[in-house]
Amino acid sequence: MMARSAFVTGGTGFIGINLIELLVDEGWEVTALHRESSTLTYLKRFPIALAEGSITDRESLERAIAEGTDVVFHVAGDTSFWSKKNAQQDAINIDGTRNVVEVAASKGVRTFIHTSSDSAWGRVRSERVITEETPQAGGSSWINYERSKYLGEQEALKGTALGMKVVVLNPSEVAGPYDLNSWGRLFFLLRDRELPAIPPGDVCVTHVHDVVRAHLAAVDEGRSGEGYLLTGEHAALADFVAEIARVSGAKVPMTAPAWVLKVYGRLSVMVAALTGKEPEVTPELAAAASTKGKIYRCDKAVRELGYQITPMSVSVRDTYDWLVKEGLLTS
């Protein structure tokens, strides 16, 4: 039986690397797209093909995606919460997705798996429990990340009209090995005492291994044109940070009221306008990190993709153990 072929965008990112590791373990032939400026340290550990290009450069995609590739896993995305980068974010999350979809279809790709986010639901106000049946409000969100993820999904789903099976996956807050720039940063901020306070919001801590296994399951088990929430253990952000502090031996900061975080976000943006340096906290990030009372359900993924939820404590421990193993933290 011939190995199946996969083309992965966002392969140098956190979820992308974990997905490639799983694909290789499962015997797939993998080609990973990377920008010229990307760090390839981790990707070079795997027996895969590397293709230089960008999802914003259609010609590079034409060169990179091989004719008849079985599956395109579109993982690449811009996660910025700074309004100054909105145009760049749209070019990646919306226009870039359109490029990948159209080129994939033209190359005879049969299946397109699109990595979105639960952020595509945007500023949902009335519903406390959110499922795939809850109308998405990301398209009207003032937070561009939420808006662009929603619109990126719409671009991905257009692939069904081009003859591809398209499945959308919506992870929550993902943690685990290879996480350096997402929630993994909290380990360093706590170690260096650079996290003055904890935002008052909630999180659904989702293990990256659960997420990438769902990507593989979606190839055969996912239904075309459908989306699947991939969520984890629901917790207060303060409890998540406390677990990170417990595992790493750091001190737990206080929890700040939402209004303090929002004021700090506005002030940080003003300072950034003078310095040009990206602020640690923006009004968008302050709002997202202060959201409470929303529960995202993954029943559909459990039922149709065999999705399983790993406890938050395991997600934190696995992230910590990987950082220690790589020599990035000391135990």
Side-chain angles (χ1 to χ4, degrees), residues 17-34:
I17 293 171
N18 278 277
L19 175 60
I20 287 170
E21 183 174 51
L22 179 60
L23 287 167
V24 169
D25 287 346
E26 294 292 324
W28 287 63
E29 293 181 353
V30 179
T31 299
L33 184 72
H34 68 90

Side-chain angles (χ1 to χ4, degrees), residues 182-223:
S182 184
W183 297 101
R185 290 184 62 242
L186 289 172
F187 285 93
F188 303 106
L189 292 174
L190 288 172
R191 179 197 64 188
D192 301 335
R193 300 194 175 185
E194 293 180 354
L195 185 69
I198 305 171
D202 295 341
V203 288
C204 281
V205 183
T206 308
H207 200 298
V208 69
H209 290 168
D210 298 337
V211 170
V212 297
R213 280 193 290 264
H215 278 65
L216 252 62
V219 173
D220 296 319
E221 306 300 331
R223 288 185 285 134

Side-chain angles (χ1 to χ4, degrees), residues 24-313:
V24 169
D25 287 346
E26 294 292 324
W28 287 63
E29 293 181 353
V30 179
T31 299
L33 184 72
H34 68 90
R35 295 188 301 272
E36 182 182 7
S37 59
S38 296
T39 300
L40 304 178
T41 304
Y42 299 120
L43 278 189
K44 286 185 174 179
R45 296 179 179 181
F46 306 111
I48 63 173
L50 297 173
E52 187 177 306
S54 169
I55 64 172
T56 60
D57 179 354
R58 190 183 179 105
E59 289 186 2
S60 73
L61 292 173
E62 295 276 3
R63 294 190 298 269
I65 301 177
E67 196 79 34
T69 297
D70 291 315
V71 184
V72 165
F73 293 95
H74 179 40
V75 187
D78 185 306
T79 60
S80 173
F81 276 81
W82 188 19
S83 60
K84 186 176 180 179
K85 293 188 174 181
N86 285 359
Q88 172 184 300
Q89 189 167 64
D90 286 353
I92 294 171
N93 292 354
I94 305 170
D95 302 337
T97 298
R98 184 186 308 118
N99 289 338
V100 181
V101 167
E102 292 178 355
V103 173
S106 75
K107 292 300 185 84
V109 172
R110 292 185 285 275
T111 303
F112 191 96
I113 308 298
H114 177 67
T115 309
S116 185
S117 166
D118 62 4
S119 294
W121 272 264
R123 304 285 89 196
V124 177
R125 296 184 181 277
S126 58
E127 297 89 349
R128 182 171 185 270
V129 177
I130 297 169
T131 71
E132 293 85 357
E133 302 303 315
T134 306
Q136 290 181 328
S140 60
S141 176
W142 66 275
I143 298 178
N144 198 66
Y145 175 66
E146 297 175 346
R147 172 185 161 276
S148 66
K149 292 305 285 185
Y150 168 82
L151 293 175
E153 281 190 24
Q154 308 315 303
E155 293 297 333
L157 290 168
K158 290 177 182 177
T160 58
L162 300 176
M164 293 190 295
K165 171 181 176 177
V166 178
V167 181
V168 175
L169 301 175
N170 300 86
S172 293
E173 291 77 26
V174 185
Y178 297 102
D179 182 8
L180 288 171
N181 300 312
S182 184
W183 297 101
R185 290 184 62 242
L186 289 172
F187 285 93
F188 303 106
L189 292 174
L190 288 172
R191 179 197 64 188
D192 301 335
R193 300 194 175 185
E194 293 180 354
L195 185 69
I198 305 171
D202 295 341
V203 288
C204 281
V205 183
T206 308
H207 200 298
V208 69
H209 290 168
D210 298 337
V211 170
V212 297
R213 280 193 290 264
H215 278 65
L216 252 62
V219 173
D220 296 319
E221 306 300 331
R223 288 185 285 134
S224 186
E226 295 286 324
Y228 296 85
L229 278 162
L230 307 178
T231 64
E233 182 177 337
H234 184 266
L237 190 49
D239 292 335
F240 180 40
V241 174
E243 181 64 16
I244 291 173
R246 185 189 69 78
V247 168
S248 61
K251 183 179 179 181
V252 182
M254 65 176 183
T255 299
W259 70 266
V260 171
L261 192 66
K262 291 173 181 177
V263 169
Y264 181 61
R266 293 193 192 99
L267 292 173
S268 296
V269 168
M270 292 178 188
V271 172
L274 298 174
T275 64
K277 183 180 178 182
E278 184 167 356
E280 287 288 338
V281 179
T282 63
E284 294 88 346
L285 186 59
S290 299
T291 301
K292 300 174 67 174
K294 302 296 182 185
I295 298 175
Y296 293 82
R297 300 286 305 182
C298 59
D299 302 58
K300 183 178 176 182
V302 170
R303 186 172 61 250
E304 298 185 18
L305 304 181
Y307 184 72
Q308 296 181 341
I309 296 176
T310 298
M312 176 180 72
S313 59

